[in-house]
Structures are given as C-alpha cells and as structure tokens.
Amino acid sequence: MLLLFLDTETGSGAEHAYRSAGWTEAGTIPDYATDPEGRLHPTTLFYKQLHGAHG
C-alpha cells in the first residue's frame, strides 16, 4: 500500500476537486497558507491510500 499526502487552501476549488477524487480530509491548519497579497488562510490536509502499490 502507498499513502499519498497533500494540502490545499481551505475553501478553494482544489479542495472540492480532491474530495471529489476520493481524497480523505485529515484536518485543517489555521493561518498556514498565504495568498499573493500576503494574507494568511487555513489549509486543509488530505490523504489517499493506493492499494496494490509496492513501495
């Protein structure tokens, strides 16, 4: 089994895309990501297990 991990800005279109693709939310970190203007935003952590993968 292979475990993948990623994070993305909370509330973004990417967050919805990862959920739709079967990624599982692991939690949220407040004030982690900055936008181009330097404002802080929370980030959502996701993971996905790939069965049958050898590592």
Side-chain angles (χ1 to χ4, degrees):
M1 177 176 61
L2 182 65
L3 182 66
L4 302 176
F5 165 82
L6 62 83
D7 68 273
T8 189
E9 184 179 335
T10 302
S12 68
E15 182 181 6
H16 175 73
Y18 292 129
R19 287 184 201 282
S20 297
W23 289 76
T24 302
E25 181 179 339
T28 303
I29 301 173
D31 297 333
Y32 180 79
T34 57
D35 63 19
E37 289 79 35
R39 295 179 299 235
L40 290 169
H41 298 275
T43 192
T44 301
L45 309 171
F46 288 93
Y47 70 91
K48 190 170 192 176
Q49 293 178 329
L50 301 180
H51 299 283
H54 301 307

